[in-house]
Amino acid sequence: MATNYNTAIAFSAVLTLLLLPSLTVGELVQEQPLVLKYHNGQLLKGRITVNLVWYGTFTPIQRSIIVDFINSLSSPAGAPLPSAAAWWKTTDKYKGGSSALVVGKQFLHPAYTLGKNLKGRDLLALASKFDELNSITVVLTAKDVAVEGFCMSRCGTHGSTRNTKNGARTAYVWVGNSETQCPGQCAWPFHQPIYGPQTPPLVAPNGDVGVDGMIINLATLLAGTVTNPFNNGYFQGPATAPLEAVSACTGVFGSGAYPGYPGRVLVDKVTGASYNAHGANGRRYLVPAMWDPQTSTCKTLV
């Protein structure tokens, strides 16, 4: 048995932001505080193993960008600031303490044995590859893999599978590479959006529009998973389409953000790449704002 909360950074939220050019920055600031209600359910806290399923063709460099990102979230103190670890530390402010992510097993699936047009049941089959307590299975689909709902209503999603023997639930995340299918929806701001203001895209910090876009979506869904793993944690709105820790702050990457403008971020003087977080092995990433339960605001690193 499985459940799918469809908390996909549904790019419709991004498009909603992009289509509101009439709002001024002042009007955005005057909005009421954002509140994500806690629904008294289980959160994922403590040491959490992240197992990875790579479906389709990913280069070693692409895999390392994503693995380094996950490792960056629980890096030791002392990493250059602003850091991905400092961004993730906001999840500590949700009930129950810290959530330390540790990369576990990896399963490479380059043979496309389920085909290149996946249904929801195929994602669940891949997500059931690992069945461990206090873990998250992350399914990553390559750029030539179409997934039901991908680019139409979602860029990724998270949910859970249930062990038929003991009833235990295991959280999972799915994120697709949108490079050749819909970068304007799922890799913004590294690609011009299809709708809204056509501002110049930012330069991807790791030189890969598709994978750097996946990082934004993976960050969004990992934060949503640890703070709302089984659809009774922190969220606003209906349980069937909740706004969560990061999806409630869609389109904000730096201070001064407004619809169609990601905000002020850091720029490498040599490459022109935009980023706001330092990561493991000297990498840089662009991570979205996260809701801070102490201030009831969307918190950015820069």
Side-chain angles (χ1 to χ4, degrees):
M1 177 180 178
T3 53
N4 183 335
Y5 309 136
N6 211 27
T7 44
I9 351 176
F11 63 76
S12 57
V14 177
L15 298 184
T16 299
L17 283 173
L18 297 176
L19 292 172
L20 294 175
S22 61
L23 291 178
T24 66
V25 176
E27 287 172 323
L28 290 175
V29 171
Q30 293 170 12
E31 289 182 351
Q32 294 299 312
L34 176 65
V35 177
L36 302 189
K37 181 182 177 181
Y38 176 51
H39 295 77
N40 301 311
Q42 178 186 348
L43 308 184
L44 294 185
K45 295 293 180 175
R47 187 181 188 276
I48 303 165
T49 302
V50 179
N51 297 311
L52 302 171
V53 177
W54 305 89
Y55 188 85
T57 303
F58 288 90
T59 67
I61 292 176
Q62 289 178 322
R63 295 200 303 270
S64 69
I65 292 170
I66 291 175
V67 170
D68 283 347
F69 174 70
I70 297 171
N71 286 329
S72 299
L73 299 179
S74 299
S75 294
L81 296 175
S83 69
W87 174 81
W88 184 253
K89 201 164 181 60
T90 299
T91 62
D92 293 2
K93 299 179 181 181
Y94 292 70
K95 290 183 183 294
S98 64
S99 303
L101 304 185
V102 179
V103 175
K105 301 172 185 175
Q106 298 188 55
F107 177 69
L108 303 184
H109 204 307
Y112 301 91
T113 55
L114 297 178
K116 292 187 176 183
N117 194 345
L118 304 185
K119 303 295 184 182
R121 63 178 178 273
D122 298 317
L123 292 180
L124 292 174
L126 293 170
S128 301
K129 178 69 179 176
F130 304 105
D131 187 16
E132 302 175 12
L133 293 177
N134 222 41
S135 71
I136 302 171
T137 299
V138 175
V139 178
L140 302 153
T141 50
K143 62 183 180 181
D144 57 349
V145 177
V147 177
E148 186 176 20
F150 188 42
C151 296
M152 295 169 56
S153 61
R154 57 185 184 171
C155 303
T157 194
H158 82 82
S160 68
T161 59
R162 187 182 292 273
N163 187 304
T164 55
K165 294 181 179 179
N166 58 24
R169 290 181 294 184
T170 300
Y172 76 87
V173 166
W174 158 67
V175 175
N177 185 337
S178 67
E179 179 185 351
T180 59
Q181 298 182 56
C182 58
Q185 291 100 322
C186 296
W188 184 84
F190 302 127
H191 191 282
Q192 284 187 308
I194 293 180
Y195 306 103
Q198 295 298 301
T199 54
L202 303 184
V203 177
N206 294 287
D208 189 317
V209 169
V211 173
D212 278 304
M214 291 180 79
I215 293 294
I216 293 173
N217 299 333
L218 179 60
T220 300
L221 291 166
L222 285 174
T225 297
V226 300
T227 58
N228 187 33
F230 307 120
N231 214 26
N232 54 10
Y234 283 87
F235 65 89
Q236 181 190 79
T240 52
L243 291 177
E244 299 179 319
V246 176
S247 59
C249 303
T250 297
V252 179
F253 296 89
S255 59
Y258 56 82
Y261 172 60
R264 290 182 287 274
V265 297
L266 304 176
V267 178
D268 185 283
K269 294 181 180 179
V270 177
T271 65
S274 295
Y275 67 99
N276 59 10
H278 292 276
N281 297 320
R283 292 203 182 277
R284 295 169 174 176
Y285 298 102
L286 187 71
V287 294
M290 188 186 306
W291 184 74
D292 186 331
Q294 293 183 350
T295 61
S296 294
T297 60
C298 290
K299 180 180 179 181
T300 60
L301 285 174
V302 294

